[in-house]
Amino acid sequence: MSNSDVPSQKTRSSTKRILKITLQVVAIVAIVAVLLWYIGTTVPTDFKPDEPTIIRGIDFLFITILEMNVSYFLLAFLMYFGINVFFTIRLRRVLAKDGVKTTFGKSLLAQYAGMLTSDFTPGRAGYILTPVYLRDQNVPASKGLSSILGIQTIEFLVKVAGGIGAVTFLMYTVPTATWTEMFPQDIAGVNIGIIIAGLGIGLMFLGAIVLAAFTWSKRAIAIFDRIANWRFIKRFAGGLMGKLEEYKESAHSTQRAIPEIFALTMVCWVLKGFEWYFLGLALGITTVSPIAFFLIHPLVTALAFIPILPAGIGVQEFGIIGILGLLGVPLEIAAVFAIIARLMLIFQDLIGVPQIVKSTSLIFSRKTPQEPSSPVPSAPV
């Protein structure tokens, strides 16, 4: 290959990346417009009837936000902060099992940076970059990666169980007529809503199996080892594959943290239920019981992992609208709930911006953080 071919390849790669980002942005704008239009079609007919539908939707959204109960909203905001605190504790405990010592403050910033990245990546895959944001604490990439994958494996399995519980709850509590009214049936007579819910659960279960195999199965890691040595893979993965042996050892250490991962994940499940319950109260939703919010959020948030658009935008929102609609919430209020639920997370995740900037500067600097040559004992949390 001549040197003249290199710039042209870089140009084509850059063009494809720009085109991909542009298409995603256009799709996100279109989905937001559809959501606002949908709100405009579902608001009461006497609400600014002379305005265009999408403008009615925007007006209703802003008026609802302005009339929202601030106290309950702040409680919901606090619950999400608590989730990130326990996520950070969970990550530190897993790293501690592998002999890696971290500080809470820097790890919390890395956690927020990982969450913010996941807010803008398909299937929320950006969270896997959290080890990059731990770089300033000299956390070995292999140990950070194995910790994140181990955590995500347990979390996916918990979401699968929660999703199955949510579908069972909805099928037993929601009248058949309401299901038929909200969701049409396919040609086989199966409700479309159940199919969508099953798809979300199935994807989460598949993801859990893949992550579990990659994290804890020696045979799966051996297969991946062979794939990693393909010239094509090496060309694009660079030095990351060189750390596979270290990753194998770290993955084994992560298994010892499974009980703690599970316990802390369940704590976060409860806090997420409270977050949604308080957000519902902030918007005047009183017909949905706290138990319902605890059960349905694993199912709905699972839709964010569908790798179509960044963080499942649109898919998750319409999932929320559908499920809250089944539970008797007015559709326009359900749509506002869905939009605010996402915006609240993104707004708080902005705490991670400085860490992203700092980690990016470290990546592109010539100085490479030194990884400890021997495990460093970790102090108890």
Side-chain angles (χ1 to χ4, degrees):
M1 180 184 298
S2 63
N3 292 333
S4 60
D5 292 334
V6 176
S8 62
Q9 284 188 352
K10 289 183 177 179
T11 302
R12 286 196 297 269
S13 177
S14 178
T15 302
K16 288 181 180 179
R17 185 166 57 253
I18 293 172
L19 179 61
K20 180 180 178 181
I21 294 173
T22 303
L23 290 175
Q24 288 185 342
V25 171
V26 171
I28 290 172
V29 171
I31 287 172
V32 171
V34 169
L35 279 169
L36 294 172
W37 173 85
Y38 181 80
I39 293 174
T41 62
T42 54
V43 297
T45 54
D46 59 348
F47 180 81
K48 300 186 177 182
D50 297 329
E51 290 186 350
T53 303
I54 192 168
I55 301 300
R56 292 176 71 206
I58 294 173
D59 286 345
F60 185 83
L61 174 64
F62 278 106
I63 290 174
T64 304
I65 291 175
L66 290 175
E67 295 178 349
M68 187 169 53
N69 187 306
V70 177
S71 298
Y72 282 126
F73 177 78
L74 290 177
L75 283 173
F77 197 80
L78 181 62
M79 292 301 104
Y80 183 61
F81 176 74
I83 289 171
N84 280 284
V85 167
F86 279 99
F87 276 172
T88 303
I89 294 172
R90 184 178 65 179
L91 177 58
R92 292 189 68 216
R93 292 305 303 159
V94 176
L95 287 171
K97 295 291 184 181
D98 209 8
V100 179
K101 185 177 182 179
T102 56
T103 63
F104 179 81
K106 289 183 177 180
S107 299
L108 180 62
L109 291 177
Q111 162 65 26
Y112 272 117
M115 294 299 289
L116 183 60
T117 309
S118 73
D119 290 333
F120 298 97
T121 49
R124 300 195 73 98
Y127 189 68
I128 204 171
L129 292 178
T130 304
V132 175
Y133 305 133
L134 294 166
R135 185 183 174 98
D136 61 342
Q137 298 189 72
N138 293 327
V139 176
S142 57
K143 296 185 178 184
L145 182 60
S146 65
S147 298
I148 292 298
L149 292 181
I151 288 170
Q152 289 298 96
T153 300
I154 302 300
E155 188 160 332
F156 278 20
L157 289 173
V158 169
K159 283 184 180 291
V160 168
I164 294 172
V167 172
T168 304
F169 170 79
L170 292 171
M171 291 182 67
Y172 275 94
T173 58
V174 178
T176 304
T178 305
W179 273 100
T180 306
E181 181 182 352
M182 285 292 301
F183 298 101
Q185 294 182 337
D186 67 1
I187 56 176
V190 180
N191 195 281
I192 299 297
I194 296 177
I195 293 176
I196 295 173
L199 176 62
I201 294 171
L203 285 173
M204 291 295 296
F205 186 60
L206 178 62
I209 291 175
V210 171
L211 284 176
F214 183 57
T215 306
W216 297 313
S217 170
K218 292 182 179 180
R219 180 174 297 181
I221 294 176
I223 293 173
F224 184 80
D225 199 0
R226 294 177 62 183
I227 296 174
N229 286 315
W230 292 354
R231 181 180 299 179
F232 177 80
I233 299 294
K234 278 187 172 181
R235 178 180 176 185
F236 290 96
L240 182 61
M241 294 306 169
K243 295 186 177 293
L244 190 60
E245 289 299 324
E246 299 174 31
Y247 172 80
K248 293 177 188 178
E249 298 176 4
S250 299
H252 178 72
S253 299
T254 305
Q255 295 181 52
R256 301 198 300 269
I258 289 178
E260 290 181 73
I261 295 174
F262 177 76
L264 291 169
T265 299
M266 293 306 297
V267 171
C268 293
W269 181 345
V270 173
L271 289 176
K272 190 69 178 181
F274 275 119
E275 176 198 320
W276 277 29
Y277 175 63
F278 288 135
L279 182 57
L281 291 178
L283 294 172
I285 299 174
T286 57
T287 57
V288 181
S289 66
I291 297 299
F293 277 116
F294 288 131
L295 287 174
I296 66 176
H297 77 74
L299 174 60
V300 176
T301 53
L303 298 176
F305 291 90
I306 296 178
I308 300 175
L309 289 169
I313 185 170
V315 180
Q316 176 174 297
E317 279 68 27
F318 280 106
I320 292 175
I321 295 170
I323 291 178
L324 290 182
L326 287 173
L327 295 172
V329 178
L331 296 181
E332 66 274 14
I333 298 297
V336 173
F337 179 99
I339 293 173
I340 295 177
R342 182 179 290 273
L343 292 178
M344 183 179 70
L345 269 57
I346 294 175
F347 181 76
Q348 189 172 145
D349 290 343
L350 290 175
I351 295 173
V353 169
Q355 185 64 34
I356 293 176
V357 174
K358 181 179 181 180
S359 298
T360 303
S361 65
L362 282 173
I363 291 172
F364 290 102
S365 67
R366 294 187 177 184
K367 183 180 178 181
T368 303
Q370 297 296 318
E371 295 185 356
S373 57
S374 60
V376 179
S378 176
V381 175

